[in-house]
Amino acid sequence: MTTDTRPLALVTGVGRTAGIGAGVARRLAAAGWDVAFTFWSAYDERMPWGAEPEAADAVAAELAGQGAATAAVEADLADPSAAAYVFDEVERRLGGVKALVMCHCESVASGLLDTGVESFDRHFAVNARATWLLIREYGRRFGGAHGTGRVIALTSDHTVGNLPYGASKAALDRITLAAAHELAHLGVTANVVNPGPVDTGWMSGELREQVTRQTPLGRLGTPLDTAHLVEFLCSPQGQWINGQLLMSNGGFG
């Protein structure tokens, strides 16, 4: 962005230096954005890869090295009060948010027969309800010039053996795409990006080989692949892309 004042993006789900959220935050900072981001260490502690205690500081240092003002906010997005808290903190520390990029998720693989009610509800709380609450908070507070606002959410079409994740991401799609119409009076665009399978450390060797075979370009997706598309959507050149579910997956299928 080539403005006298760097615009501010809020990126959720930046808990690991290898994650898509961190890749998006780095790319936006390099493109001239200030970047606030959220993380939730307790989620990573439950996952096979484990927590990365210094990740927030490391990402913040990288962003600052690219000239960005930055703020890291730890927040459990399963808490209905978290969205307002995050925006309060970001506004207090950096000002008003122009782009909301949602990379957060709850993802615990289970199917129709073995998903528990608590897990099902938590997936919907984090992936669907928090998305709605974040977009609602953004819409209530947005004060940027008409045509400059951006809402972007990352989704997935994986459902078999991953039911609560896939179903809650489908709900995220509908919520985000509704914003393309319901926030139109603010001049805000809203889009959903499906990055396909991106290996950020969670894939087994067998799965990596399988996914590579299923992708015409013969490689796995990377956080930077997703970040380049997010950067374009956030740019003035991306203003005409609105209300879309975009597949950015190298033709995987």
Side-chain angles (χ1 to χ4, degrees), residues 35-36 90 92 122 127 140 182 185 188 199 204 220 231:
V35 182
V90 171
R92 180 179 66 82
R122 184 169 183 84
N127 297 341
R140 287 174 170 176
E182 296 195 21
H185 64 290
V188 170
D199 184 15
S204 66
L220 300 172
E231 177 192 355

Side-chain angles (χ1 to χ4, degrees), residues 6-10 33-34 87 90-99 138 141-144:
R6 293 172 70 110
L8 174 61
L10 169 58
W33 291 76
D34 290 334
F87 272 87
V90 171
E91 287 179 349
R92 180 179 66 82
R93 293 158 69 177
L94 296 179
V97 174
K98 183 170 287 186
Y138 172 87
R141 300 175 187 232
F142 181 75

Side-chain angles (χ1 to χ4, degrees), residues 108-129:
V108 179
S110 60
L112 281 166
L113 301 182
D114 61 336
T115 295
V117 171
E118 181 180 357
S119 178
F120 186 90
D121 288 349
R122 184 169 183 84
H123 277 81
F124 272 83
V126 174
N127 297 341
R129 186 178 68 192

Side-chain angles (χ1 to χ4, degrees), residues 11 13 23-25 35 67 86 94 111 120-121 163 172 177 179 202 204 226 241:
V11 183
V24 167
V35 182
V86 168
L94 296 179
F120 186 90
D121 288 349
L163 173 73
L172 169 150
L177 295 178
W202 58 272
S204 66
T226 306
I241 312 300

Side-chain angles (χ1 to χ4, degrees), residues 12-13 43 46-47 76-79 102-109 118-135 152-156 158 162-176 192:
T12 64
Y43 170 71
R46 291 192 284 115
M47 297 296 105
D76 180 5
L77 294 178
D79 182 344
M102 292 170 286
C103 304
H104 68 273
C105 76
E106 170 78 10
S107 179
V108 179
E118 181 180 357
S119 178
F120 186 90
D121 288 349
R122 184 169 183 84
H123 277 81
F124 272 83
V126 174
N127 297 341
R129 186 178 68 192
T131 297
W132 159 54
L133 292 172
L134 286 162
I135 293 174
I152 301 166
L154 301 191
T155 192
S156 172
H158 192 200
N162 211 3
L163 173 73
Y165 176 69
S168 57
K169 284 287 191 173
L172 169 150
D173 296 354
R174 302 302 98 184
I175 293 165
T176 305
V192 182

Side-chain angles (χ1 to χ4, degrees), residues 229-243:
L229 179 54
V230 171
E231 177 192 355
F232 173 74
L233 292 173
C234 286
S235 73
Q237 291 75 24
Q239 182 182 10
W240 196 236
I241 312 300
N242 190 28

